[in-house]
Amino acid sequence: LFNKASTCILAIFIENSEKNNPAVSFNLGMIFYYKKNFSKAVGYFKKALEINEFYIQVYPYLGISLYESLSYNEAYSYLAKALEVNDKLKNDLIYFYIAQVYEKKKDLKNAINYYNISIEKNINLWICYYSVGRCHIGMGDFKNAIEYYKKVLEVIKTSPDLDEEKILMEKNNIKY
């Protein structure tokens, strides 16, 4: 149903859009983002920034889409821009994705730092604790890894609704 609805919305946007409206390109990018077609989403997000370089709501989604497209350096640059204006965006998942980029680049100390910021910002998903544990294993610090894996179990036990958490993770393209 989502695919049919988004295809109809896409057709309407394309036929009736103002060519120089960044909101149109951003919304088209969001359709592809939610369809997990990140390469197309990237194109529309970049188009929105070409139209208006200050269209800041693009930054986190462009960064995440680039991350999902395995363009980690470019992803980091847009996530860093999103972080600079996060007081306006209020999207604390940015910290999680910056951590993911650092982890992919094998900068495990910075990855742990940003995963912990995610946890502090109340992104209390078990995947944050699991990821910190995984980084500690990568650094050979098995004692701390075990502590974080124990925290995973605590979060899972105390989570009021794991289905809700799974939906949040899927909505934000967080793989587990």
Side-chain angles (χ1 to χ4, degrees):
L1 183 63
F2 177 77
N3 285 337
K4 289 181 182 179
S6 62
T7 303
C8 290
I9 292 169
L10 180 62
I12 291 167
F13 267 134
I14 291 171
E15 286 181 29
N16 298 310
S17 68
E18 298 175 40
K19 300 296 182 211
N20 291 322
N21 185 341
V24 172
S25 294
F26 174 72
N27 285 312
L28 289 169
M30 291 303 294
I31 289 170
F32 287 107
Y33 175 87
Y34 284 116
K35 290 175 83 169
K36 298 183 182 351
N37 187 336
F38 297 108
S39 61
K40 280 195 175 184
V42 165
Y44 282 109
F45 291 146
K46 285 185 174 182
K47 176 71 174 161
L49 288 175
E50 286 173 19
I51 296 167
N52 181 348
E53 66 183 296
F54 302 107
Y55 202 73
I56 62 173
Q57 52 267 56
V58 171
Y59 294 150
Y61 297 104
L62 178 53
I64 293 166
S65 297
L66 287 162
Y67 170 84
E68 295 294 344
S69 301
L70 309 179
S71 299
Y72 302 125
N73 290 331
E74 194 176 4
Y76 179 81
S77 70
Y78 286 102
L79 290 168
K81 287 179 182 182
L83 200 55
E84 290 173 13
V85 293
N86 199 36
D87 58 324
K88 294 178 184 144
L89 295 173
K90 308 273 189 254
N91 185 345
D92 290 333
L93 280 171
I94 296 166
Y95 298 99
F96 176 80
Y97 279 100
I98 288 175
Q100 296 257 284
V101 170
Y102 277 125
E103 187 176 358
K104 292 290 184 186
K105 293 168 74 174
K106 306 291 187 224
D107 184 347
L108 301 180
K109 285 187 179 186
N110 274 320
I112 289 170
N113 180 46
Y114 278 93
Y115 284 129
N116 282 325
I117 293 171
S118 294
I119 292 166
E120 290 169 17
K121 295 282 186 181
N122 289 323
I123 300 175
N124 206 22
L125 301 173
W126 64 267
I127 193 72
C128 292
Y129 294 99
Y130 177 80
S131 298
V132 173
R134 188 177 55 225
C135 289
H136 280 296
I137 285 178
M139 294 168 45
D141 184 357
F142 301 108
K143 183 179 176 185
N144 275 324
I146 289 169
E147 291 305 311
Y148 274 91
Y149 289 142
K150 286 179 183 176
K151 289 179 183 180
V152 170
L153 296 175
E154 289 173 26
V155 169
I156 289 173
K157 284 180 189 174
T158 60
S159 181
D161 190 351
L162 285 178
D163 290 336
E164 190 175 300
E165 184 174 311
K166 184 179 177 188
I167 290 167
L168 175 65
M169 290 172 66
E170 287 174 355
K171 178 181 175 198
N172 289 290
N173 300 306
I174 299 172
K175 294 177 177 57
Y176 49 94

